[in-house]
Amino acid sequence: MGVLDNQFLQLQQLQDESNPDFVAEVVSLFFADSERLLNDLTRALDQPTIDFKMVDSHVHQLKGSSSSIGAERIKNACVAFRNFCEEQNIEGCMSCLQQVKQEYCLVKNKLETLFRMEQQIVAAGGSIPMMELSF
Amino acid sequence: MTTTNGVASLRLISDEIDGFDLSPSDTEEVHVLAVDDSFVDRKVIERLLTISSCKVTAVDSGRRALQFLGLDEEQSINGFDGLKVDLIITDYCMPGMTGYELLKKIKDSSALREIPVVIMSSENILARIDRCLEDGAEDFIVKPVKLSDVKRIKDYLTRDVNLGNEGRGINKRKARESCDLSSSPPSVITSSSSPSSPSSPFRSPSILSSSAPCSPPSTLDSPTSRLKMTISD
């Protein structure tokens, strides 16, 4: 399963000369949003009595934003996470939280690398070709 | 290439027709109010709408949407009917007021009920979709929203402006009845599975779109194509 799915390509298609930083901006919002949610989740699962509705709500938000930028693996990890919330399964939730964090780190690394490479290309005088959607 | 007067003038006319813009004139850009509590989604929908030549106001809650529309009891913006809203597109799951509740409030308001409302949701729940459509939503988009979704909505919005809104409610009910009899399966499609990434619970695009390759039996699929089909009949 890819780290970034078609939705990411869709976002890249929305970037142009008039909005050259669109993808970077969306991704920054995503990073900020996710880090906040992951902190909230960690805290929520650390409570003596766990409010599964609240946990589920955070996961739902994370699932939504990761879906919007095409972070497929995070999204799928969130789906599993929500199932455990529904079952009120603490261990399942903890394990999912770990997985979501890992997937998030993976996506973050990939995206940061991508942006760095793009910057290097542009700085060296090149340009980034627009990807063509073939579907 | 022969250039008799007849041929030359025919070409001129067809050039004019080609250049004729069916969408609202430049002075009347479609103004969309987008409602979503997610930063990421707000940014994306804003860009999708802007790139589709719409003017966008994006707010983060149903409450703020109602304030903007002048409906909020506590903070109504008196006399502010300057910025006409042509379409409201709202997320379903929001804290405080859901998109469905916002839909109801808008449809209950004599001032605002004519404004088409589109609901977006990350969850493809048929009962939810049906309820929204039955209670007045124009369309229901399953997230993540794509450019094709926005284009589709803008197209039929523009067309409705040109054709008038008569009988839309009746057509919708009639169309939905025939949809129940149709054999098209209720989809539980997730965006990651299908290569064509359908973003609406029923397959788009509309049958009236010139680029649509879909076969006639599937025309009942999209709520919007059902609407358009009955209007054009």
Side-chain angles (χ1 to χ4, degrees):
Chain A
M1 184 195 324
V3 174
L4 289 168
D5 69 13
N6 295 332
Q7 183 62 16
F8 188 72
L9 291 182
Q10 286 269 331
L11 294 186
Q12 287 181 313
Q13 296 278 312
L14 300 180
Q15 184 163 289
D16 59 22
E17 298 84 41
S18 67
N19 261 269
D21 300 318
F22 173 69
V23 178
E25 286 168 8
V26 177
V27 167
S28 299
L29 282 173
F30 170 69
F31 287 161
D33 222 27
S34 304
E35 275 160 39
R36 175 184 59 89
L37 287 167
L38 289 172
N39 283 337
D40 288 347
L41 279 168
T42 309
R43 222 176 4 253
L45 285 175
D46 207 22
Q47 301 301 308
T49 318
I50 296 179
D51 181 351
F52 285 101
K53 270 200 137 116
M54 164 122 54
V55 173
D56 181 70
S57 160
H58 291 322
V59 177
H60 172 80
Q61 284 181 60
L62 184 58
K63 175 177 159 255
S65 52
S66 47
S67 162
S68 293
I69 68 147
E72 196 182 1
R73 289 165 68 128
I74 301 182
K75 186 192 82 175
N76 290 336
C78 287
V79 172
F81 201 154
R82 292 191 79 191
N83 287 337
F84 284 124
C85 286
E86 211 174 332
E87 295 167 15
Q88 307 213 344
N89 180 332
I90 300 181
E91 269 174 37
C93 284
M94 296 295 231
S95 139
C96 275
L97 177 60
Q98 277 318 107
Q99 199 188 352
V100 166
K101 282 178 173 174
Q102 274 169 21
E103 296 299 349
Y104 172 69
C105 284
L106 180 61
V107 154
K108 187 160 189 223
N109 282 338
K110 294 240 178 236
L111 285 171
E112 284 175 340
T113 303
L114 175 67
F115 291 139
R116 206 164 44 241
M117 282 174 62
E118 283 186 344
Q119 276 167 6
Q120 283 171 4
I121 291 173
V122 169
S127 61
I128 319 291
M130 283 272 272
M131 288 208 60
E132 292 209 3
L133 290 176
S134 56
F135 51 91
Chain B
M1 181 178 69
T2 53
T3 47
T4 64
N5 283 340
V7 171
S9 53
L10 262 179
R11 274 211 3 251
L12 260 175
I13 292 169
S14 76
D15 280 349
E16 278 173 24
I17 291 172
D18 285 342
F20 182 69
D21 194 352
L22 285 171
S23 56
S25 65
D26 285 337
T27 52
E28 275 183 53
E29 252 188 327
V30 173
H31 179 207
V32 182
L33 176 64
V35 190
D36 200 319
D37 61 316
S38 156
F39 288 108
V40 171
D41 289 350
R42 252 196 330 278
K43 177 127 187 116
V44 172
I45 193 76
E46 198 169 12
R47 180 72 186 141
L48 286 172
L49 288 165
T50 305
I51 226 177
S52 307
S53 310
C54 296
K55 199 155 66 171
V56 191
T57 302
V59 297
D60 65 1
S61 69
R63 182 71 181 278
R64 284 215 216 281
L66 291 175
Q67 282 172 9
F68 185 81
L69 294 163
L71 252 198
D72 189 42
E73 287 120 21
E74 284 177 42
Q75 260 194 58
S76 65
I77 309 170
N78 287 323
F80 184 71
D81 40 28
L83 272 182
K84 184 173 73 81
V85 169
D86 299 305
L87 171 74
I88 297 166
I89 182 164
T90 177
D91 190 25
Y92 184 93
C93 281
M94 296 188 291
M97 189 188 304
T98 66
Y100 177 73
E101 286 161 356
L102 177 61
L103 166 72
K104 296 288 279 178
K105 285 205 181 339
I106 289 166
K107 294 304 167 185
D108 285 343
S109 152
S110 49
L112 302 176
R113 72 163 61 105
E114 288 306 310
I115 305 177
V117 180
V118 172
I119 311 254
M120 310 178 276
S121 174
S122 53
E123 288 163 324
N124 192 356
I125 299 172
L126 211 52
R128 173 183 293 184
I129 295 165
D130 278 350
R131 189 166 57 130
C132 289
L133 292 177
E134 272 159 24
D135 286 343
E138 281 312 304
D139 203 345
F140 191 103
I141 300 174
V142 177
K143 284 179 163 182
V145 185
K146 296 178 170 23
L147 198 54
S148 52
D149 296 319
V150 174
K151 283 190 145 59
R152 183 183 88 227
I153 285 166
K154 200 196 166 201
D155 281 349
Y156 84 73
L157 182 68
T158 313
R159 207 172 282 270
D160 279 345
V161 166
N162 288 336
L163 292 180
N165 298 340
E166 312 164 7
R168 251 188 12 213
I170 301 166
N171 287 337
K172 201 193 296 188
R173 241 173 279 127
K174 184 171 78 173
R176 282 198 56 70
E177 279 167 23
S178 24
C179 178
D180 290 341
L181 298 172
S182 83
S183 58
S184 55
S187 56
V188 278
I189 302 167
T190 58
S191 55
S192 53
S193 57
S194 158
S196 57
S197 303
S199 52
S200 122
F202 306 101
R203 286 292 211 87
S204 42
S206 150
I207 52 155
L208 294 181
S209 156
S210 56
S211 59
C214 50
S215 54
S218 64
T219 56
L220 289 175
D221 293 356
S222 157
T224 53
S225 54
R226 291 201 299 277
L227 275 173
K228 292 175 87 165
M229 194 172 71
T230 50
I231 286 172
S232 70
D233 281 350

